[in-house]
Amino acid sequence: MSSESTLDDEDTFKILIATDIHLGYLEKDAIRGNDSFNTLEEILKSAKTNQVDFILLGGDLFHENKPSRRCLHTCITMLRRYCMGDKPINFNILSDQKVNFNTTHFPWVNYQDENLNISIPAFSIHGNHDDPTGAEGLCALDLISASGLVNHFGHSHSVEKIEISPILMQKGITKLALFGLGSIPDERLYRMFVNKQVTMLRPKEDQDEWFNLFTIHQNRSKHGPTNYIPEQFLDDFIDLVVWGHEHECLIAPTRNEQQLFYVTQPGSSVATSLSPGEAAKKHIGLLRVKGRKMNMQKIPLDTVRQFFIQDVVLADYQDIFTPDTPQVTKKVEDLCYAKVTEMLEQAERERLGCPLTPEKPLIRLRVDYSGGFEAFNTSRFSQKFVDRVANPKDVIHFLRRREQKEDNKDEVNVDYGKLLKTTAVEGLRVEDLVKQYFEATEQNVQLSLLTEHGMGKAIKEFVDKDEKDAIEELITYQLEKTQRHLQARGVTTEQDIDLEIQRFRDSKKNTTEEENEIKEVINRAKAHRLERGEMPVDMSVDLALESDEDAAPLAPPTRGRGRGARGRGSRGRGRGAAASEPKPAGRGRAQKSSAATQSRSIMQAFQSPSQRSSRPGANKSYADEVTIEDSDEDIPVMKTTSAPPRPASSSSSFTKLSSQSQSHSTKGVAFDDSDDEEEDPFKGPSRSRR
């Protein structure tokens, strides 16, 4: 079939398919502010040029849930310019439109409104960016729908059960059932599919004659155990799925071999993130449907800004530089400059002959600097390309390679000692941790005056017994003693002072003198605390009381706040007393001091008493521990033969098919992916009978 009239006869649906336009993205940006508007105009102009029957949008028409007035004004202006006119509509709608368009006070398709003159109707579901909110459940798409420019469908009002009723269309002998489901949180929809709470309605008569087209806006790739929708969840009577929300352009329909339907993923028409999936060439699709056969024609978008992304692993350039190479940062910067320049030259070559393509491309260079390399100043680097790229602030992105987890294929002989990393070892002391730190650290941060043993003891007193002056007293004591030693020796030159300090420090290691000095320091710290009127704290008592959940109370139970007998699930005694009037030293006071100790930074010990906060618990912070389950196992879906359709009520022309029910219809859809327009787009092998 070579003639255009034969390709597009009175029995062929011509549908322009696009998703994720994200109108209004970065509209305040001086360079990229008009990108989304220009691309929408190109899409609508293509629909008018190809004389399509209608436009199908797969969600996220707007980038913001509450678009700006400029964004709404531009959208309405372009829809009115390209979708209104005198061109006749050559298909009819057979289904109950009050059910299909249930979000508006005008529940009928816009081209049948006697007050409007529509030449190209547009049908759209909502996405996650422009989803309905508020008590009325309205979204920005409802504003455009109420104005008569877009037909909003696929909005489910129930959060417990979903019934998807198709828009039934007919053009000549071709019957098209258009299903749509707007964006729903993936975890909720996943659970509803598993619990068989999603039902797709089908016409009772001539089910095998309908071409079933389904539009959905959900995660297609797996982001978590239930944070996506597997293709196997969808009913197997569907012929083609238009999948929105995913921005990577995979518009060529791919066949799902389990459900035996095709899936097309048009992707976004504007890059909203600098990720590899956005770098693919952007397309929209021209879908032709005749009978049970279909053909998808890819239409490239010329107004989309070019985007190039490249990864650089510095460890792979050992022949040029290493972390120890002199001026290695300058050489790394030169390498990145060459890579960015190379991408800019490629963009310039590809832009030749495309006057609609924006002049400045998007460039992203991801630099893996693992292995001891250092990052350079990205702001200064980006200034070199401020007049050549559209994103000068984020051209370079530094990242470190994560350590790969071992693949334990042998589940029997697993070395759990390598897998389990204990956070606390029984019997490991604070002073041991201090010693291990200084043994492993670099030479330039080693202790000069203090010994590791002395520092460890001081930190232990600070942490365990709330001796706030222990570290400060240790430093002061050792500084004074070292100064007296140097004066007695008569050392004057700087080099001799360093050697004498090192010799004096090493002479005290692991000796009785060192132990006596530590005791003297601790006694001084206790004396300072008693001078301030603070009572001694024994943390071990409180820890023991907290760990013993079933221990009997030490005092007879009373009816006072926080002082009586506690339940089994409480965390300790005397917590309520901390908020009441001051009491003598006891369990309640010890608990309060314990909480304050955990929130105090060790570095505060190096400050003078006047610099410390008067409220030790004022800076307390809490670290949330989040456990993420990342299971790779999918929930198995059992396919069972459904029972014969039950007779429906007289007011309904549909049969209910719950999700995953198996159809006995003949699958006769053929797909021709040939790019040659001279060939018959509807020629192809018929689909296997099930």
PDB file of all heavy atoms in Angstrom, residues 91-107:
ATOM      1  N   PHE A  91     -15.068   9.482  14.078  1.00  0.00           N
ATOM      2  CA  PHE A  91     -15.338   8.306  14.907  1.00  0.00           C
ATOM      3  C   PHE A  91     -16.422   8.664  15.919  1.00  0.00           C
ATOM      4  O   PHE A  91     -16.644   9.833  16.239  1.00  0.00           O
ATOM      5  CB  PHE A  91     -14.074   7.809  15.609  1.00  0.00           C
ATOM      6  CG  PHE A  91     -13.509   8.761  16.630  1.00  0.00           C
ATOM      7  CD1 PHE A  91     -13.877   8.693  17.969  1.00  0.00           C
ATOM      8  CD2 PHE A  91     -12.591   9.741  16.265  1.00  0.00           C
ATOM      9  CE1 PHE A  91     -13.361   9.565  18.913  1.00  0.00           C
ATOM     10  CE2 PHE A  91     -12.075  10.625  17.196  1.00  0.00           C
ATOM     11  CZ  PHE A  91     -12.460  10.539  18.527  1.00  0.00           C
ATOM     12  N   ASN A  92     -17.057   7.634  16.409  1.00  0.00           N
ATOM     13  CA  ASN A  92     -18.145   7.800  17.361  1.00  0.00           C
ATOM     14  C   ASN A  92     -17.784   7.139  18.684  1.00  0.00           C
ATOM     15  O   ASN A  92     -16.992   6.191  18.722  1.00  0.00           O
ATOM     16  CB  ASN A  92     -19.447   7.195  16.825  1.00  0.00           C
ATOM     17  CG  ASN A  92     -19.938   7.896  15.573  1.00  0.00           C
ATOM     18  OD1 ASN A  92     -19.893   9.126  15.489  1.00  0.00           O
ATOM     19  ND2 ASN A  92     -20.403   7.120  14.590  1.00  0.00           N
ATOM     20  N   ILE A  93     -18.384   7.630  19.742  1.00  0.00           N
ATOM     21  CA  ILE A  93     -18.211   7.034  21.066  1.00  0.00           C
ATOM     22  C   ILE A  93     -19.494   6.305  21.427  1.00  0.00           C
ATOM     23  O   ILE A  93     -20.596   6.876  21.390  1.00  0.00           O
ATOM     24  CB  ILE A  93     -17.876   8.111  22.118  1.00  0.00           C
ATOM     25  CG1 ILE A  93     -16.493   8.699  21.826  1.00  0.00           C
ATOM     26  CG2 ILE A  93     -17.906   7.519  23.526  1.00  0.00           C
ATOM     27  CD1 ILE A  93     -16.007   9.702  22.844  1.00  0.00           C
ATOM     28  N   LEU A  94     -19.354   5.022  21.798  1.00  0.00           N
ATOM     29  CA  LEU A  94     -20.496   4.158  22.046  1.00  0.00           C
ATOM     30  C   LEU A  94     -20.761   3.923  23.518  1.00  0.00           C
ATOM     31  O   LEU A  94     -21.845   3.466  23.877  1.00  0.00           O
ATOM     32  CB  LEU A  94     -20.280   2.800  21.345  1.00  0.00           C
ATOM     33  CG  LEU A  94     -19.868   2.855  19.861  1.00  0.00           C
ATOM     34  CD1 LEU A  94     -19.652   1.438  19.337  1.00  0.00           C
ATOM     35  CD2 LEU A  94     -20.904   3.593  19.032  1.00  0.00           C
ATOM     36  N   SER A  95     -19.794   4.197  24.387  1.00  0.00           N
ATOM     37  CA  SER A  95     -19.939   3.879  25.810  1.00  0.00           C
ATOM     38  C   SER A  95     -20.689   4.992  26.533  1.00  0.00           C
ATOM     39  O   SER A  95     -20.982   6.052  25.968  1.00  0.00           O
ATOM     40  CB  SER A  95     -18.565   3.673  26.445  1.00  0.00           C
ATOM     41  OG  SER A  95     -17.752   4.813  26.243  1.00  0.00           O
ATOM     42  N   ASP A  96     -20.999   4.733  27.807  1.00  0.00           N
ATOM     43  CA  ASP A  96     -21.681   5.700  28.649  1.00  0.00           C
ATOM     44  C   ASP A  96     -20.672   6.773  29.064  1.00  0.00           C
ATOM     45  O   ASP A  96     -19.792   6.543  29.882  1.00  0.00           O
ATOM     46  CB  ASP A  96     -22.263   5.003  29.876  1.00  0.00           C
ATOM     47  CG  ASP A  96     -23.116   5.943  30.711  1.00  0.00           C
ATOM     48  OD1 ASP A  96     -23.199   7.138  30.368  1.00  0.00           O
ATOM     49  OD2 ASP A  96     -23.678   5.492  31.722  1.00  0.00           O
ATOM     50  N   GLN A  97     -20.817   7.974  28.521  1.00  0.00           N
ATOM     51  CA  GLN A  97     -19.828   9.014  28.761  1.00  0.00           C
ATOM     52  C   GLN A  97     -19.912   9.582  30.170  1.00  0.00           C
ATOM     53  O   GLN A  97     -18.946  10.172  30.658  1.00  0.00           O
ATOM     54  CB  GLN A  97     -19.996  10.130  27.726  1.00  0.00           C
ATOM     55  CG  GLN A  97     -19.788   9.650  26.292  1.00  0.00           C
ATOM     56  CD  GLN A  97     -19.805  10.777  25.291  1.00  0.00           C
ATOM     57  OE1 GLN A  97     -19.299  11.862  25.557  1.00  0.00           O
ATOM     58  NE2 GLN A  97     -20.395  10.539  24.128  1.00  0.00           N
ATOM     59  N   LYS A  98     -21.049   9.423  30.830  1.00  0.00           N
ATOM     60  CA  LYS A  98     -21.137   9.865  32.218  1.00  0.00           C
ATOM     61  C   LYS A  98     -20.222   9.050  33.117  1.00  0.00           C
ATOM     62  O   LYS A  98     -19.771   9.536  34.156  1.00  0.00           O
ATOM     63  CB  LYS A  98     -22.582   9.759  32.706  1.00  0.00           C
ATOM     64  CG  LYS A  98     -23.532  10.732  32.023  1.00  0.00           C
ATOM     65  CD  LYS A  98     -24.929  10.620  32.600  1.00  0.00           C
ATOM     66  CE  LYS A  98     -25.882  11.611  31.915  1.00  0.00           C
ATOM     67  NZ  LYS A  98     -27.258  11.492  32.460  1.00  0.00           N
ATOM     68  N   VAL A  99     -19.944   7.818  32.717  1.00  0.00           N
ATOM     69  CA  VAL A  99     -19.008   6.976  33.466  1.00  0.00           C
ATOM     70  C   VAL A  99     -17.575   7.285  33.058  1.00  0.00           C
ATOM     71  O   VAL A  99     -16.665   7.331  33.898  1.00  0.00           O
ATOM     72  CB  VAL A  99     -19.336   5.487  33.246  1.00  0.00           C
ATOM     73  CG1 VAL A  99     -18.339   4.593  33.970  1.00  0.00           C
ATOM     74  CG2 VAL A  99     -20.758   5.183  33.691  1.00  0.00           C
ATOM     75  N   ASN A 100     -17.345   7.524  31.773  1.00  0.00           N
ATOM     76  CA  ASN A 100     -15.982   7.766  31.280  1.00  0.00           C
ATOM     77  C   ASN A 100     -15.414   9.099  31.768  1.00  0.00           C
ATOM     78  O   ASN A 100     -14.240   9.175  32.139  1.00  0.00           O
ATOM     79  CB  ASN A 100     -15.967   7.741  29.751  1.00  0.00           C
ATOM     80  CG  ASN A 100     -16.422   6.412  29.181  1.00  0.00           C
ATOM     81  OD1 ASN A 100     -17.135   6.367  28.186  1.00  0.00           O
ATOM     82  ND2 ASN A 100     -16.042   5.311  29.819  1.00  0.00           N
ATOM     83  N   PHE A 101     -16.250  10.146  31.766  1.00  0.00           N
ATOM     84  CA  PHE A 101     -15.778  11.486  32.133  1.00  0.00           C
ATOM     85  C   PHE A 101     -16.531  11.931  33.387  1.00  0.00           C
ATOM     86  O   PHE A 101     -17.408  12.804  33.348  1.00  0.00           O
ATOM     87  CB  PHE A 101     -16.002  12.465  30.977  1.00  0.00           C
ATOM     88  CG  PHE A 101     -15.505  11.966  29.656  1.00  0.00           C
ATOM     89  CD1 PHE A 101     -16.398  11.615  28.651  1.00  0.00           C
ATOM     90  CD2 PHE A 101     -14.152  11.802  29.418  1.00  0.00           C
ATOM     91  CE1 PHE A 101     -15.946  11.150  27.426  1.00  0.00           C
ATOM     92  CE2 PHE A 101     -13.685  11.328  28.194  1.00  0.00           C
ATOM     93  CZ  PHE A 101     -14.590  10.999  27.196  1.00  0.00           C
ATOM     94  N   ASN A 102     -16.174  11.322  34.498  1.00  0.00           N
ATOM     95  CA  ASN A 102     -16.906  11.527  35.743  1.00  0.00           C
ATOM     96  C   ASN A 102     -16.304  12.607  36.634  1.00  0.00           C
ATOM     97  O   ASN A 102     -16.670  12.721  37.789  1.00  0.00           O
ATOM     98  CB  ASN A 102     -16.987  10.216  36.527  1.00  0.00           C
ATOM     99  CG  ASN A 102     -15.615   9.611  36.786  1.00  0.00           C
ATOM    100  OD1 ASN A 102     -14.586  10.226  36.482  1.00  0.00           O
ATOM    101  ND2 ASN A 102     -15.578   8.408  37.328  1.00  0.00           N
ATOM    102  N   THR A 103     -15.363  13.398  36.128  1.00  0.00           N
ATOM    103  CA  THR A 103     -14.734  14.433  36.951  1.00  0.00           C
ATOM    104  C   THR A 103     -15.190  15.836  36.571  1.00  0.00           C
ATOM    105  O   THR A 103     -14.664  16.807  37.094  1.00  0.00           O
ATOM    106  CB  THR A 103     -13.203  14.360  36.816  1.00  0.00           C
ATOM    107  OG1 THR A 103     -12.833  14.612  35.451  1.00  0.00           O
ATOM    108  CG2 THR A 103     -12.689  12.999  37.240  1.00  0.00           C
ATOM    109  N   THR A 104     -16.136  15.953  35.673  1.00  0.00           N
ATOM    110  CA  THR A 104     -16.550  17.262  35.188  1.00  0.00           C
ATOM    111  C   THR A 104     -18.066  17.374  35.228  1.00  0.00           C
ATOM    112  O   THR A 104     -18.790  16.373  35.246  1.00  0.00           O
ATOM    113  CB  THR A 104     -16.037  17.493  33.745  1.00  0.00           C
ATOM    114  OG1 THR A 104     -16.534  18.741  33.272  1.00  0.00           O
ATOM    115  CG2 THR A 104     -16.502  16.382  32.823  1.00  0.00           C
ATOM    116  N   HIS A 105     -18.560  18.616  35.214  1.00  0.00           N
ATOM    117  CA  HIS A 105     -19.996  18.867  35.140  1.00  0.00           C
ATOM    118  C   HIS A 105     -20.514  18.780  33.704  1.00  0.00           C
ATOM    119  O   HIS A 105     -21.726  18.935  33.478  1.00  0.00           O
ATOM    120  CB  HIS A 105     -20.317  20.249  35.709  1.00  0.00           C
ATOM    121  CG  HIS A 105     -20.052  20.360  37.177  1.00  0.00           C
ATOM    122  ND1 HIS A 105     -20.849  19.756  38.131  1.00  0.00           N
ATOM    123  CD2 HIS A 105     -19.079  20.999  37.873  1.00  0.00           C
ATOM    124  CE1 HIS A 105     -20.389  20.021  39.345  1.00  0.00           C
ATOM    125  NE2 HIS A 105     -19.306  20.770  39.218  1.00  0.00           N
ATOM    126  N   PHE A 106     -19.609  18.527  32.775  1.00  0.00           N
ATOM    127  CA  PHE A 106     -19.993  18.347  31.372  1.00  0.00           C
ATOM    128  C   PHE A 106     -19.563  16.942  30.945  1.00  0.00           C
ATOM    129  O   PHE A 106     -18.542  16.786  30.249  1.00  0.00           O
ATOM    130  CB  PHE A 106     -19.333  19.414  30.497  1.00  0.00           C
ATOM    131  CG  PHE A 106     -19.533  20.814  31.006  1.00  0.00           C
ATOM    132  CD1 PHE A 106     -18.552  21.444  31.760  1.00  0.00           C
ATOM    133  CD2 PHE A 106     -20.708  21.494  30.745  1.00  0.00           C
ATOM    134  CE1 PHE A 106     -18.740  22.729  32.237  1.00  0.00           C
ATOM    135  CE2 PHE A 106     -20.906  22.780  31.221  1.00  0.00           C
ATOM    136  CZ  PHE A 106     -19.921  23.406  31.970  1.00  0.00           C
ATOM    137  N   PRO A 107     -20.310  15.920  31.353  1.00  0.00           N
ATOM    138  CA  PRO A 107     -19.858  14.531  31.159  1.00  0.00           C
ATOM    139  C   PRO A 107     -20.100  14.012  29.747  1.00  0.00           C
ATOM    140  O   PRO A 107     -20.874  13.075  29.518  1.00  0.00           O
ATOM    141  CB  PRO A 107     -20.694  13.763  32.192  1.00  0.00           C
ATOM    142  CG  PRO A 107     -21.955  14.544  32.312  1.00  0.00           C
ATOM    143  CD  PRO A 107     -21.579  15.983  32.100  1.00  0.00           C
TER     144      PRO A 107
END
